[in-house]
Structure formats: C-alpha cells, structure tokens
C-alpha cells in the first residue's frame, strides 16, 4: 500500500441503505469465514437479512469460527459451487431473496447461473459491473464501469453498460449523471479505437438514454475529472472536468484506475453487478471490511430502486 489512509464505508451511502427496509439476500456458497463475515457486517448494519446457501456443515463450522450464531436465519443446503449458484438463483425466482451476495465461489460459476437461458436471471441487457469509488475526507464519488466483467466491450455492449450505470446513479439520487466516455484523446481518430467507439456510442444512444444522463466523449482522464485540465484544453461540455462516471474502453483501463485509487489514495471500492433481474454484490478475499460493507449498501440501494421500477 502506497497510501496510509484506511478505507472507510462512505457514511452517506450507508445511511441511504439503512433508511430502506433490510433486503433478503441469498449468500451464494456461504460456507466460509469471509462469506459469513461479509453477511454479518451487512446484517449488523441493518441492511440485509441473509439467506445462507451452501454446505450446511461448512456454514455452521465457519459461523462457529467467527462466533456468529446463524440459527435464526434460513439455511439452504447445496452441494458445490454450481449447485449453490443455481439454488441462490432459485431463491430469487421463488421470492425467498431479492438480492445476491457472492460467497465462496468463482465469479464465472455465478455468472453462468445468472445467464442460464432456462433458469437464470436474464433481462435482455448485458451483465456488467460498476465500482462506486470514494476517497477518505472527500465528498466526491467517482464511478468506474466496467472494470470486472466485459474485457473489450463493443459499442452495443457499452450501451448496455451505460444504461446499467445510469440506473445505479439514479438509484443513488443523481438523476442527471455526467458520464465520460474515456479514451486517451478528445479528438476522434482512427489511430485511437476508443475514440471512434465513443463517437459510435453517442450515435446509437436513444432519446431516452440522452434524457437519463449527460454523456460526452471521447475524453482523456484529466479532461474527465479535472475542471482545470478541461478548461486549459478548451473542452466546452458540462461533463468535462466533472464526470460522475467513467465508462472505460476495456477492462484493463478500468482495473488499473480503480486499483490506483485504492492503493494510492486509500479509496473504498463498492462493487455491484448490473444487468440481471437483481443486483449482485461481488467481493473478493482482498477486499477490506469497509469495501464489503459499502458493496452491500450499494447493492441494497440499487435493489430497492429496481423493485420500485418493476
């Protein structure tokens, strides 16, 4: 860590989630200490009611190891990662859970269950991921999409990513989010494919897409987040310098930006998977407790928003 700042769960985000009814949440393959610690954090914050899916013996053993009684919760037995993912998805279909939390399983196993044509949670949009980045002692939030799922999204996929990110921003209360289509230039040139993609994306957006968000690009990173840089470059657009969301051209760009914020600035990365019928909290073993709680808060706020729309 190059930063000595400790990540914290953004108080505003947590309060927003706590102001809503706790959301029943299927914890997928919950039989590990980390999975149960994540569930307990969100439960004790008053934002989820866990439904624990997994090997029952492993769940009770892990719960004992962290000193948490799970006797009052719904437990659903499963055998292995794939079965846990399938049964967690069934919980959503049956109304047992309104939200999913990734437990001790590989992300691709969970995504396969979500995308199953017969039993999954498809919506017609592509699955994508958004990071809600907050830095200690700063009120500014910067969202990054997609740094986890789509490796090299084409223009159609980027439109789906944009729609998901816009919807999350609306859930957070930002009804006119500023979205920067990231590149390394502000000039459309064939030598920079991401700049061409930005132009194409603007061209296929519908009137509804434009009404839901202020979208502009291509923009380099400095022109997207720094008002001073945007002014010096002569970029005259409301998004320039004030982006709420960075829509990145590929997974490497998004991954690098979010990890730089975490390791250079002590940022908290709250992550949510978009595009399924319900949001999914994706956490990893490397995530600090603050990031896991923030991910739960973000997913709860978004899940309530989706339930109201539907």
């Amino acid at each position: 860590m190059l930063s000595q700042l400790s990540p914290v769960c953004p108080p505003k985000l947590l309060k927003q989630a706590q102001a809503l009814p706790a959301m029943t949440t299927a914890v997928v393959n919950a039989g590990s200490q980390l999975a149960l610690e994540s569930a307990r954090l969100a439960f004790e914050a008053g934002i989820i009611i866990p439904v624990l899916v997994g090997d029952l013996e492993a769940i009770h053993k892990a719960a004992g190891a962290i000193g948490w009684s799970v006797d009052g919760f719904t437990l659903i037995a499963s055998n292995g990662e794939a079965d846990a993912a399938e049964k967690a998805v069934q919980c959503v279909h049956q109304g047992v859970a309104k939200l999913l939390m990734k437990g001790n399983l590989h992300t691709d196993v969970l995504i396969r269950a979500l995308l199953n044509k017969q039993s999954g949670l498809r919506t017609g949009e592509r699955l994508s991921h958004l990071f809600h980045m907050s830095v200690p002692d700063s009120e500014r939030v910067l969202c990054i999409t997609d740094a986890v799922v789509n490796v090299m999204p084409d223009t159609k996929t980027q439109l789906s990513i944009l729609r998901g990110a816009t919807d999350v921003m609306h859930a957070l209360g930002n009804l006119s989010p500023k979205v920067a289509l990231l590149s390394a230039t502000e000039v459309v040139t064939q030598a920079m494919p991401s700049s061409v993609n930005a132009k194409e994306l603007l061209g296929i957006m519908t009137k509804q897409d434009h009404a839901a968000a202020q979208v502009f690009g291509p923009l380099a990173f400095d022109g997207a987040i720094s008002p001073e840089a945007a002014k010096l470059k002569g970029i005259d657009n409301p998004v320039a310098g004030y982006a709420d969301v960075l829509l990145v051209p590929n997974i490497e760009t998004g991954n690098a930006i979010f990890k730089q914020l975490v390791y250079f600035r002590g940022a908290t990365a709250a992550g949510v998977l978009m595009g399924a019928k319900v949001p999914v909290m994706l956490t990893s073993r490397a995530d600090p407790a603050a990031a896991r709680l923030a991910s739960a808060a973000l997913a709860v706020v978004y899940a309530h928003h989706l339930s109201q729309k539907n």
Side-chain angles (χ1 to χ4, degrees), residues 20 47 51 85 93 117 120 127 130 135 138 158 195 235 270 294 304:
L20 299 166
I47 60 177
V51 175
H93 287 299
K117 291 183 179 179
L127 290 183
L130 179 137
V135 176
S138 174
Q158 284 190 323
S195 70
I235 308 170
H304 274 283

Side-chain angles (χ1 to χ4, degrees), residues 160-268:
S160 207
I161 295 170
L162 171 65
R163 289 171 174 167
T166 298
D167 212 22
V168 174
M169 299 306 290
H170 288 180
L172 292 169
N174 186 344
L175 301 183
S176 185
K178 297 178 175 67
V179 182
L181 307 180
L182 210 64
S183 182
T185 178
E186 284 79 31
V187 179
V188 177
T189 170
Q190 293 295 326
M192 188 75 64
S194 57
S195 70
V196 177
N197 291 345
K199 180 182 178 181
E200 291 176 352
L201 178 54
L202 289 169
I204 67 169
M205 288 173 60
T206 65
K207 289 183 179 179
Q208 184 176 351
D209 293 323
H210 282 289
Q214 301 176 68
V215 185
F216 183 69
L219 279 171
F221 184 81
D222 56 348
I225 67 163
S226 168
E228 294 80 8
K231 184 177 180 180
L232 286 169
K233 289 184 172 185
I235 308 170
D236 184 19
N237 187 276
V239 175
Y242 297 97
D244 300 305
V245 179
L246 300 180
L247 199 159
V248 299
N250 52 56
I251 199 169
E252 294 95 341
T253 302
N255 188 274
I257 294 173
F258 112 78
K259 286 182 177 174
Q260 286 168 14
L261 285 169
V262 169
Y263 288 97
F264 286 1
R265 295 285 292 126
T268 299

Side-chain angles (χ1 to χ4, degrees), residues 106-162:
H106 292 89
T107 300
D108 61 331
V109 174
L110 179 55
I111 288 179
R112 277 199 297 273
L114 295 173
L115 294 179
N116 186 290
K117 291 183 179 179
Q118 284 72 43
S119 60
L121 298 173
R122 289 170 173 259
T123 63
E125 297 289 352
R126 289 291 297 265
L127 290 183
S128 59
H129 185 275
L130 179 137
F131 273 123
H132 172 287
M133 308 296 300
S134 55
V135 176
D137 301 321
S138 174
E139 290 296 317
R140 184 165 181 180
V141 170
L142 182 66
C143 294
I144 302 167
T145 189
D146 179 347
V148 173
V149 176
N150 293 286
V151 177
M152 186 70 73
D154 58 19
T155 307
K156 185 177 179 181
T157 300
Q158 284 190 323
L159 181 59
S160 207
I161 295 170
L162 171 65

